[in-house]
Amino acid sequence: MQIRNRTFFISDNVSDHYRRRFAKEILLRSGKLAAAPDDHADYVIYDAGKSMKENHSHSCIKITVNEMVSIFDCTPRTVSDGFCVTAGVLVKWIPEESQGHFLTIPSGVIRIASDAFRPVYPCQDAVFRKAMKKVQRIIFPKTLEVIEQDAFRGFADLETIRLREGIRELGGFRGCRRLDSVVIPKSCTKIGDYAFSGCRLLSHLQWSGNITEIGKNAFAGTGLPEFTSWDSLEKIRDNAFSKCGALSEVFLQGNAPECGRNAFRNSGIQKLTVDLDSCVLGSHCFAGCDGLDEINVRRGKISIFPDTFPSSVIKNALEKLKDEKCAPAEYDMWTGMIRKYGRTFFEQLPPVQYFEYAELCAGIAGIRDYLPDVNRAAEKEAALRLKWLIRNLGLNPNVLKYFKQGKLYYSYMTAGGFMGSVDTITYEPLYVQIVREAERLFGIHVYHAVETYGFGRELILLYVEQDFREWEYSRPESSVLMAYVYNFEFSEGEFGYVELDSFMGALYRIG
């Protein structure tokens, strides 16, 4: 009978002695225990010499105490130097019997289970944490082939690991924050998910040229300074090198490595070199890499998504396309993406870039006589400014939500100035008339209004200018904003600066 991954229920008619023994043996062999008769169980252990009260409605195998003892005796677990090994699998660590600052994994271990260094009982948490904190070095045997995900998670003071030839799949060191260098044996072909995630001091890594796959989040948040791929590498999974602030250079070479979503997101990359036959750079692969100012595509068919690179990189690329300064392989990469996504790509550009490069992109995509949509661009610019007001001045987020639905909202104070509110401007027909007249006369695009009585009754209109070249310079950067202020006493308005603050999600004038 296989105990690993099976669930057992120990009947009430089993003596306390056998109950404790069976529970310990099952957990040490990576089995599970059912807490109540109604829980799912693969096996029910009972004493044939006593009556059994529980009636299990679900189908399961019933096994006697004597049979269970025989099973344990026939398939003994090996315990040596604080480790429990079953059929070559290290299933449990016994910290009370371990070696202090050094852990030497016993010879004969083929696989280290993901929960091998987790407590059997909750009451052991403190003992495990204390023992883990002591460990600074781990030596692995030649027989070891697989370290499962998160096997050594929690060894925060681990400084050194000694891996030997024979290991095929490497994982399990997430959060080992003091680990600074690792030599990966040539026998290793896969880096597992979260293998070294959060090892922030890891800056020296000797790769195996036989690795075919780097798992999800494998090196996220590490201190690696550079990365160069190799011929056998086929896949770099999602977030594999995300948030690596020290990672300044990436060199993709070899055959056809596929980089997953967010593979290098928010890393400190300054230079990217691509020299291979073909490659897919996934969605948001280099998003957030705002320091990336040099891309050198030497050769290969490179497939990218509209959001593979940050907006600053896209802007530089479009400028080079406009000036015809792109190298052939890089030109094919960008134009291939533009042809594939067409309007989906260039109509999502930031407003100013949209006006500058929409016609260029439309020409590359084969869309004839394309004219930029001014109103669409102004709405996107207005949405950007509303986000700023929400983030920095505390404007109610619903204003942006409804603006995207085509509704204009305004802020006002009510209850004698003790309550801030926002509401659709259509409730005040006079306000709608003032907005429409201002938009018609001055060509502006109003995205929010503020009713105020501080300087007499006024309606403050926050707007986007008609000239898109002014947008970069007129975006709000402080509580002082350019606005059109309509004064009801004089029945006229003028442009000027106002200072705003918020209360309960509504804006009001303070200067």
Side-chain angles (χ1 to χ4, degrees):
M1 178 187 65
Q2 181 184 359
I3 295 178
R4 183 176 174 82
N5 297 327
R6 300 296 184 185
T7 304
F8 297 79
F9 176 75
I10 305 175
S11 171
D12 285 344
N13 72 355
V14 175
S15 68
D16 289 342
H17 167 73
Y18 281 117
R19 182 184 299 278
R20 287 193 297 269
R21 178 185 172 185
F22 293 160
K24 182 177 180 181
E25 291 285 352
I26 289 167
L27 290 170
L28 285 173
R29 296 166 190 263
S30 293
K32 302 174 184 177
L33 292 175
D38 293 335
D39 293 345
H40 166 78
D42 299 307
Y43 298 90
V44 172
I45 307 171
Y46 71 102
D47 190 333
K50 301 178 182 179
S51 61
M52 186 170 61
K53 298 178 181 178
E54 294 81 8
N55 294 317
H56 289 261
S57 59
H58 55 274
S59 61
C60 58
I61 300 173
K62 292 182 173 60
I63 186 166
T64 68
V65 169
N66 290 336
E67 289 171 331
M68 204 71 197
V69 171
S70 298
I71 290 169
F72 286 142
D73 290 342
C74 293
T75 57
R77 61 179 177 88
T78 303
V79 178
S80 63
D81 297 328
F83 297 100
C84 172
V85 181
T86 302
V89 179
L90 196 163
V91 292
K92 278 293 174 250
W93 176 48
I94 307 173
E96 297 93 334
E97 304 172 16
S98 66
Q99 310 125 309
H101 295 296
F102 296 88
L103 281 184
T104 302
I105 306 300
S107 179
V109 171
I110 299 173
R111 176 185 292 266
I112 299 177
S114 60
D115 59 351
F117 293 86
R118 297 288 176 271
V120 177
Y121 306 104
C123 61
Q124 292 180 307
D125 283 345
V127 175
F128 269 73
R129 285 198 300 268
K130 184 177 180 180
M132 287 178 176
K133 192 173 181 180
K134 293 180 180 179
V135 177
Q136 298 176 355
R137 182 181 183 188
I138 301 177
I139 299 175
F140 299 96
K142 294 180 180 179
T143 54
L144 184 64
E145 296 180 3
V146 177
I147 300 176
E148 293 184 2
Q149 180 179 326
D150 287 342
F152 294 95
R153 186 177 185 180
F155 287 78
D157 292 330
L158 179 63
E159 298 177 357
T160 306
I161 58 174
R162 183 180 176 187
L163 301 166
R164 303 192 181 189
E165 289 295 336
I167 193 164
R168 296 182 290 103
E169 184 175 335
L170 181 59
F173 296 95
R174 175 166 27 173
C176 296
R177 61 191 181 194
R178 298 189 66 179
L179 190 63
D180 60 359
S181 64
V182 175
V183 176
I184 302 177
K186 294 180 180 179
S187 58
C188 184
T189 58
K190 180 181 179 181
I191 304 295
D193 296 347
Y194 298 92
F196 296 93
S197 177
C199 298
R200 59 192 183 196
L201 294 184
L202 182 59
S203 57
H204 299 88
L205 190 65
Q206 182 175 322
W207 294 94
S208 161
N210 297 316
I211 294 172
T212 60
E213 180 180 332
I214 298 176
K216 294 187 295 185
N217 293 277
F219 295 94
T222 60
L224 295 177
E226 60 183 11
F227 173 73
T228 301
S229 65
W230 48 89
D231 287 345
S232 63
L233 184 61
E234 298 175 359
K235 292 184 179 180
I236 300 175
R237 297 290 187 182
D238 299 353
N239 295 286
F241 295 91
S242 63
K243 299 180 181 179
C244 294
L247 186 63
S248 61
E249 186 171 351
V250 172
F251 187 4
L252 299 177
Q253 61 179 0
N255 293 322
E258 179 181 342
C259 298
R261 287 178 57 89
N262 307 306
F264 297 91
R265 185 167 190 158
N266 293 330
S267 291
I269 301 172
Q270 300 174 12
K271 181 179 180 181
L272 170 65
T273 303
V274 183
D275 185 3
L276 34 68
D277 297 330
S278 64
C279 180
V280 176
L281 303 180
S283 177
H284 295 99
C285 187
F286 293 91
C289 300
D290 296 326
L292 181 57
D293 56 8
E294 182 178 351
I295 298 180
N296 183 10
V297 182
R298 296 179 181 175
R299 67 182 179 92
K301 184 179 180 181
I302 316 302
S303 298
I304 62 174
F305 293 80
D307 54 9
T308 293
F309 293 100
S311 58
S312 58
V313 172
I314 293 175
K315 180 180 179 181
N316 292 338
L318 293 175
E319 191 64 28
K320 287 199 289 185
L321 286 174
K322 183 178 179 181
D323 297 339
E324 299 181 350
K325 293 182 179 179
C326 270
E330 185 179 354
Y331 176 86
D332 292 342
M333 178 181 76
W334 288 108
T335 56
M337 182 272 291
I338 294 171
R339 291 191 186 99
K340 182 176 181 179
Y341 295 98
R343 294 175 185 267
T344 304
F345 165 66
F346 62 79
E347 288 187 351
Q348 296 303 314
L349 289 172
V352 176
Q353 292 183 24
Y354 169 71
F355 277 108
E356 290 186 17
Y357 304 111
E359 291 188 55
L360 169 68
C361 293
I364 293 173
I367 303 172
R368 296 182 179 180
D369 302 325
Y370 181 83
L371 294 176
D373 189 335
V374 178
N375 290 330
R376 182 187 180 95
E379 287 177 1
K380 290 178 64 177
E381 177 65 23
L384 290 175
R385 301 188 184 194
L386 280 173
K387 288 179 181 178
W388 190 94
L389 293 173
I390 292 167
R391 184 173 60 251
N392 295 280
L393 291 188
L395 179 63
N396 190 320
N398 286 328
V399 173
L400 175 60
K401 172 185 173 182
Y402 293 119
F403 178 79
K404 291 181 177 180
Q405 297 176 4
K407 300 175 183 178
L408 180 64
Y409 267 55
Y410 76 105
S411 295
Y412 63 97
M413 305 302 292
T414 186
F418 289 99
M419 181 180 295
S421 298
V422 294
D423 220 327
T424 175
I425 205 166
T426 55
Y427 286 147
E428 291 286 351
L430 178 59
Y431 290 179
V432 175
Q433 181 181 342
I434 293 171
V435 169
R436 289 177 177 172
E437 186 68 11
E439 288 182 330
R440 184 185 66 81
L441 288 175
F442 307 113
I444 59 177
H445 190 90
V446 177
Y447 58 89
H448 191 61
V450 180
E451 178 190 80
T452 181
Y453 290 88
F455 301 88
R457 187 186 178 195
E458 295 175 335
L459 186 66
I460 300 172
L461 305 184
L462 304 180
Y463 63 89
V464 174
E465 302 86 341
Q466 186 176 27
D467 188 351
F468 74 89
R469 290 167 293 189
E470 297 293 326
W471 292 355
E472 280 188 288
Y473 311 103
S474 62
R475 288 171 184 156
E477 295 180 351
S478 68
S479 58
V480 179
L481 293 83
M482 187 68 179
Y484 177 78
V485 183
Y486 183 88
N487 188 291
F488 288 89
E489 182 178 351
F490 300 105
S491 299
E492 62 181 23
E494 62 179 352
F495 289 93
Y497 286 96
V498 298
E499 186 172 6
L500 301 176
D501 202 347
S502 71
F503 181 67
M504 299 179 66
L507 299 180
Y508 66 97
R509 182 175 182 177
I510 58 175

